[in-house]
């Protein structure tokens, strides 16, 4: 049947191939009566009308002032992760800024509710991929406190050694990527070269370079191998000279100084209002460090200082972190030289797996091993919040137990999430170019923000 022979549907105007097209009733502006391209139409919502994407910056402007709103991210190299910033600009000046998150979708906290206590550890340590030892300590420490389980002194020292190595590792990644954002690409290679040596040490002691699962409830997974202490001390002997070389490269770089000094200043009082901790707060002169005021691990055994800044600008944030590398080296040296002898894990067989050699000689050890692997251990009902000092500030873990072998709720107080609030105060009134530096000095990890 030819097209012109088709019957006309009732109530629908049809036409043959010889009839000219007719404009439909209602005056569709996209309809071309004489042929040619037709503008596509969509029912999608126009960007900028939702509450999340709305900004109040335009209400403060005069009629002759022009405002431009741009999206930075969520895929942008300077955001160091999947972070979207809604930025309102007047010329090159930042008028308003709103971080929009939720693009990672890890679901880590919810996944923890479906796992036995000892199986939660691999989830937690993947949250902040630059401070996995700290994630493990926050969670394992919370469970140990609920169980009232005392871990051996050797295990406590081994945890401190690995956590301080992890702090240096995290600060090196921050220093290299921040300098890269400012155009100093050489720093990136120097920092990652040393960072790789730290990963070699992690591989030597834990068998993995990242996400080691070295900490477990009751202590650590295994004792350190022969030669580990000598390698760590050799690293500590070399590291202060490396730090001096980094400082020589940056402290005499006029571009670096002009891009950091007097930029992104936020007062100590404002940071305290926002709950900001870590190097950002210490850069304003506030010497708050949980290693000095809490006893979650025996840091009182070591002599170290808490670096602080003066005005709280980006240069102070850089100086505080660099000096913290030196202090971490001091702690590691003291911990290795004073490492106690003895077991590296608690001997409570109802919580900690028995040694492998006991399984072939002890029926009781075999039963405990079977029960722990298949069912896990039970935690008395209750709740607890365990906070430690991570490279980015206070890292807290809240655990709610209902008496079963799985946690009823696990919630992390990640410093990246809390510290992100201060980015707006750093950027308002500054240039858009300084936004890049401010974000780099914030040192956010998006895996910790979207949990």
């Amino acid at each position: 049947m030819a097209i012109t022979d088709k019957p006309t549907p009732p109530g629908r105007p049809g036409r043959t191939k010889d009839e000219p097209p007719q404009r439909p009733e209602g005056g569709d502006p996209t309809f071309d009566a004489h042929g040619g391209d037709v503008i596509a139409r969509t029912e999608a919502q126009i960007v900028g009308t939702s509450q999340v994407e709305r900004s109040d910056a335009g209400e403060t402007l005069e009629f002759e002032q022009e405002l431009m709103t741009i999206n930075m991210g969520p895929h942008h190299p300077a955001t160091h992760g999947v972070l979207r910033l809604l930025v309102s600009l007047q010329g090159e000046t930042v008028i308003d800024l709103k971080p929009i998150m939720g693009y990672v979708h890890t679901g880590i906290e919810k996944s923890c509710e479906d796992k036995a206590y000892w199986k939660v550890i691999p989830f937690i340590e993947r949250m902040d991929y630059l401070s996995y030892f700290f994630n493990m300590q926050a969670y394992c420490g919370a469970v140990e406190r609920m169980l009232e389980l005392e871990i051996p002194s050797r295990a406590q020292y081994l945890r401190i050694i690995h956590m301080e190595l992890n702090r240096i590792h995290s600060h090196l990644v921050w220093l290299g990527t921040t300098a890269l954002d400012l155009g100093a690409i050489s720093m990136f290679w120097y920092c990652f070269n040393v960072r790789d040596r730290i990963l070699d040490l992690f591989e030597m002691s834990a068998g993995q370079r990242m996400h080691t699962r070295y900490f477990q409830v009751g202590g650590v997974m295994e004792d350190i191998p022969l030669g580990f202490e000598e390698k760590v001390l050799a690293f500590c002997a070399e590291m202060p000279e490396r730090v001096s070389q980094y400082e020589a490269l940056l402290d005499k770089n006029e571009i670096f100084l002009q891009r950091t000094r007097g930029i992104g200043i936020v007062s100590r009082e404002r940071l305290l209002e926002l709950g900001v901790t870590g190097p950002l707060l210490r850069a304003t002169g506030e010497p708050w460090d949980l290693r000095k005021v809490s006893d979650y691990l025996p840091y009182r055994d070591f002599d170290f200082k808490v670096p602080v800044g003066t005005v709280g600008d980006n240069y102070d944030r850089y100086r505080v972190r660099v000096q913290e590398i030196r202090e971490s080296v001091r702690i590691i040296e003291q911990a290795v030289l004073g490492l106690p002898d003895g077991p590296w894990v608690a001997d409570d067989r109802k919580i900690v797996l028995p040694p492998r050699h006991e399984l072939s000689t002890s029926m009781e050890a075999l039963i405990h091993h079977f029960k722990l692997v298949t069912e896990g251990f039970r935690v008395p009902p209750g709740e607890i919040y365990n906070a430690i000092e991570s490279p980015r500030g206070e890292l807290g873990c809240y655990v709610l137990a209902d008496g079963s072998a799985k946690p009823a709720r696990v919630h992390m107080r990640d410093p990246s999430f809390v510290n992100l609030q201060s980015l707006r105060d750093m950027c308002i009134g500054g240039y858009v170019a300084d936004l890049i530096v401010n974000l780099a000095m914030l040192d956010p990890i998006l895996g910790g923000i979207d949990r």
Side-chain angles (χ1 to χ4, degrees):
M1 180 187 296
I3 294 177
T4 53
D5 296 331
K6 284 184 178 179
T8 302
R12 175 184 174 185
R15 66 180 177 89
T16 64
K17 62 181 180 180
D18 299 326
E19 294 177 344
Q22 300 295 323
R23 183 178 298 277
E25 295 181 1
D28 186 352
T30 64
F31 184 78
D32 184 359
H34 304 287
D37 295 336
V38 176
I39 301 173
R41 291 188 300 173
T42 175
E43 298 299 328
Q45 189 181 27
I46 300 173
V47 174
T49 59
S50 71
Q51 289 294 331
V52 175
E53 295 163 333
R54 186 168 295 170
S55 172
D56 298 332
E59 300 177 1
T60 62
L61 297 181
E62 301 296 334
F63 289 110
E64 64 272 11
Q65 293 176 316
E66 185 179 7
L67 184 69
M68 180 171 63
T69 300
I70 63 172
N71 281 292
M72 180 179 170
H75 296 289
H76 191 282
T79 59
H80 298 195
V82 191
L83 174 65
R84 178 185 170 196
L85 299 174
L86 191 66
V87 187
S88 299
L89 299 174
Q90 185 187 358
E92 295 187 27
T93 304
V94 177
I95 302 299
D96 196 8
L97 180 144
K98 181 183 290 187
I100 302 174
M101 53 200 181
Y103 294 90
V104 184
H105 306 293
T106 61
I108 288 176
E109 290 184 354
K110 194 63 181 175
S111 300
C112 294
E113 300 173 11
D114 196 37
K115 302 293 179 185
Y117 279 96
W118 66 286
K119 291 182 179 178
V120 169
I121 301 174
F123 283 88
I124 291 293
E125 69 170 337
R126 280 160 174 77
M127 193 176 58
D128 181 343
Y129 55 86
L130 288 183
S131 57
Y132 29 92
F133 283 103
F134 294 91
N135 299 338
M136 287 187 282
Q137 172 60 33
Y139 172 74
C140 291
V143 177
E144 288 160 355
R145 287 176 60 188
M146 298 186 76
L147 292 169
E148 298 181 353
L149 180 65
E150 187 71 23
I151 67 174
S153 297
R154 185 175 181 84
Q156 293 179 350
Y157 273 53
L158 289 177
R159 286 186 178 184
I160 289 177
I161 292 171
H162 285 83
M163 288 166 63
E164 294 308 316
L165 283 171
N166 198 175
R167 191 185 308 276
I168 299 173
H169 157 258
S170 178
H171 282 356
L172 286 175
V173 173
W174 162 81
L175 182 60
T177 53
T178 299
L180 182 66
D181 288 342
L182 293 175
I185 191 171
S186 300
M187 284 298 302
F188 181 82
W189 305 121
Y190 293 142
C191 291
F192 270 64
N193 178 277
V194 178
R195 174 238 189 193
D196 219 48
R197 292 187 55 194
I198 298 177
L199 296 183
D200 290 342
L201 294 172
F202 291 162
E203 185 177 11
M204 185 177 182
S205 62
Q208 297 287 340
R209 301 173 71 81
M210 294 182 69
H211 308 308
T212 62
R213 204 204 174 280
Y214 186 61
F215 294 0
Q216 64 171 335
V217 176
V220 296
M221 180 181 66
E222 188 62 83
D223 199 6
I224 52 176
L226 291 175
F228 179 78
E229 298 169 70
E230 289 74 13
K231 287 185 177 297
V232 171
L233 290 176
F235 171 80
C236 292
E238 180 185 341
M239 196 58 205
E241 178 62 26
R242 292 281 189 182
V243 176
S244 299
Q245 293 173 355
Y246 302 153
E247 291 174 325
L249 280 172
L250 294 178
D251 285 344
K252 298 177 182 178
N253 187 319
E254 189 62 27
I255 296 176
F256 180 81
L257 296 178
Q258 291 194 15
R259 294 293 303 276
T260 55
R261 283 183 171 173
I263 304 297
I265 297 177
V266 183
S267 69
R268 166 182 166 275
E269 291 75 16
R270 178 59 179 160
L271 293 181
L272 289 174
E273 288 176 357
L274 297 173
V276 174
T277 54
L280 297 178
L281 179 62
R282 290 192 286 271
T284 63
E286 177 67 37
W288 178 252
D289 191 319
L290 285 173
R291 293 175 295 178
K292 287 288 189 181
V293 299
S294 180
D295 58 351
Y296 63 90
L297 282 175
Y299 276 100
R300 60 185 177 280
D301 297 347
F302 311 118
D303 177 28
F304 68 100
K305 299 177 182 176
V306 178
V308 294
T310 53
V311 298
D313 60 356
N314 286 334
Y315 184 75
D316 277 345
R317 292 163 191 146
Y318 150 74
R319 294 297 308 168
V320 165
R321 287 191 176 97
V322 167
Q323 192 59 33
E324 282 185 358
I325 294 177
R326 285 198 170 92
E327 297 301 322
S328 292
V329 169
R330 293 181 59 198
I331 295 173
I332 296 168
E333 283 181 325
Q334 297 172 66
V336 170
L337 295 175
L339 186 63
D341 295 328
W344 61 87
V345 70
D347 60 354
D348 190 336
R349 293 291 184 262
K350 293 186 182 299
I351 298 174
V352 179
L353 287 174
R356 178 66 65 177
H357 66 273
E358 288 186 9
L359 300 182
S360 57
T361 58
S362 171
M363 177 58 72
E364 187 178 348
L366 189 62
I367 293 173
H368 283 313
H369 187 279
F370 178 79
K371 295 279 286 184
L372 283 174
V373 171
T374 56
E375 300 177 5
F377 55 82
R378 295 179 181 272
V379 175
E383 58 183 346
I384 203 164
Y385 176 76
N386 185 52
I388 65 172
E389 187 69 31
S390 82
R392 273 160 282 282
E394 178 181 337
L395 172 64
C397 180
Y398 168 80
V399 178
L400 175 65
D402 57 2
S404 68
K406 298 177 181 178
R409 181 76 171 95
V410 175
H411 173 65
M412 302 299 291
R413 192 259 186 209
D414 193 276
S416 293
F417 176 78
V418 181
N419 295 351
L420 186 61
Q421 301 174 93
S422 63
L423 180 61
R424 184 177 184 275
D425 292 80
M426 294 181 187
C427 298
I428 296 295
Y431 289 120
V432 64
D434 295 332
L435 190 157
I436 306 297
V437 189
N438 295 334
L439 182 58
M441 292 293 174
L442 197 69
D443 191 22
I445 299 297
L446 271 297
I449 293 175
D450 290 343
R451 301 176 302 279

